[in-house]
């Protein structure tokens, strides 16, 4: 499978995640989000950047509880799962990772 972004074909796996995370950029994120009916806001990008940082800097794909805690620090207020599901209705740890250009997460959401 593949998506077209700025005249380039970007390969995805059967779940819609990029097969090569290095092909990701914000235009790719917008295309992946659009496939899921999401228009990216700054809050979406904050979560995406957090997920990418955790993956590339710490070799982790955090569960939802960790995303809640991480985003609470970034935004300076308590974040709940409801807040994150408002941004990524198909699960922040799965849909968020997909739009962030990261590999598919096999585990459940995570508490």
């Amino acid at each position: 499978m593949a998506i077209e972004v700025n005249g380039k074909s970007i390969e995805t796996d059967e779940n819609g995640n990029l097969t090569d995370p290095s092909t990701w950029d914000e235009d790719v994120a917008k295309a992946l989000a659009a496939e899921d009916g999401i228009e990216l806001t700054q809050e979406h990008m904050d979560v995406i950047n957090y997920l990418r940082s955790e993956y590339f800097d710490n070799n982790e794909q955090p569960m939802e509880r960790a995303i809640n805690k991480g985003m609470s620090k970034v935004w300076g207020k308590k974040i709940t799962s409801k807040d994150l599901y408002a941004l990524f209705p198909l699960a922040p740890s799965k849909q968020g990772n997909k739009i962030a250009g990261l590999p598919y997460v096999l585990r459940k959401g995570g508490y």
Side-chain angles (χ1 to χ4, degrees), residues 46 50 54 58 65-80 84:
D46 289 345
Y50 170 79
E54 287 297 305
N58 302 320
R65 179 177 286 172
I67 298 170
N68 286 351
K69 288 180 181 181
M71 296 317 301
S72 290
K73 289 178 185 174
V74 170
W75 292 335
K77 61 182 181 179
K78 184 170 174 59
I79 302 301
T80 67
L84 292 176

Side-chain angles (χ1 to χ4, degrees), residues 56-111:
F56 290 109
D57 297 343
N58 302 320
N59 199 29
E60 293 189 16
Q61 288 181 282
M63 296 186 299
E64 289 169 19
R65 179 177 286 172
I67 298 170
N68 286 351
K69 288 180 181 181
M71 296 317 301
S72 290
K73 289 178 185 174
V74 170
W75 292 335
K77 61 182 181 179
K78 184 170 174 59
I79 302 301
T80 67
S81 291
K82 185 176 181 179
D83 298 319
L84 292 176
Y85 273 87
L87 297 171
F88 300 101
L90 300 179
S93 65
K94 292 189 183 271
Q95 190 174 36
N97 276 314
K98 173 186 161 188
I99 296 170
L102 303 175
Y104 183 74
V105 177
L106 294 174
R107 62 174 154 62
K108 293 183 179 180
Y111 268 91

